[in-house]
Amino acid sequence: MPVTYGAFSLITGAGGDPLAVEHPVASVIGGGVGFFSAADDHTASVRVEFWDGEPPEHPSGSETVTGAVDLAAPAVVLLAIDTGFSVEIPATFTGRAGVRVSCTGRDEAARLSHEEHELFFSDVEHWLVRIWPLD
């Protein structure tokens, strides 16, 4: 997933800008998830999983944010900022959903970006998004 300006988003079709509410890792609002990377311009690994029920906690050592969204469409869209890059991911259900976002590799991404001044590195930050029905 291309990360530009240190962010990207997952849109659920319910409206609202998930990047409008900044959080150190991610913001989860009704219309989706705003992801806030530890680095500016790079490519992150992102995995989106749909579960039948609440999934187990994420692995230790990851930074985690949990919240709820409204899945208003039969798909969610990962969307990069200003690049036009998007990926549509079919949703297995619609309605109110729990979301748990975790990320590993943030410290290394920050080091590469801010101390080494590297741009456009890949596969350092790893995001896992788990979505399950609440209704």
Side-chain angles (χ1 to χ4, degrees):
M1 179 72 204
V3 177
T4 54
Y5 304 106
F8 61 97
S9 60
L10 182 135
I11 307 299
T12 65
D17 180 1
L19 294 175
V21 181
E22 286 198 39
H23 184 279
V25 178
S27 63
V28 180
I29 66 167
V33 180
F35 301 88
F36 299 98
S37 175
D40 291 327
D41 300 316
H42 66 101
T43 301
S45 168
V46 181
R47 180 180 174 94
V48 178
E49 300 175 346
F50 287 90
W51 288 63
D52 292 333
E54 185 170 355
E57 292 293 322
H58 289 282
S60 64
S62 64
E63 297 185 52
T64 303
V65 174
T66 301
V69 297
D70 297 308
L71 297 179
V76 297
V77 177
L78 279 170
L79 184 63
I81 297 173
D82 285 351
T83 66
F85 180 88
S86 66
V87 175
E88 187 172 288
I89 302 164
T92 58
F93 60 90
T94 58
R96 193 79 173 143
V99 176
R100 187 172 296 129
V101 176
S102 70
C103 184
T104 59
R106 290 175 55 80
D107 290 343
E108 179 64 7
R111 187 190 70 75
L112 287 171
S113 180
H114 304 294
E115 294 175 22
E116 302 294 327
H117 305 290
E118 288 196 34
L119 291 173
F120 311 115
F121 53 87
S122 297
D123 207 30
V124 174
E125 256 186 1
H126 299 271
W127 296 85
L128 177 60
V129 182
R130 290 181 169 166
I131 304 171
W132 68 94
L134 291 177
D135 298 339

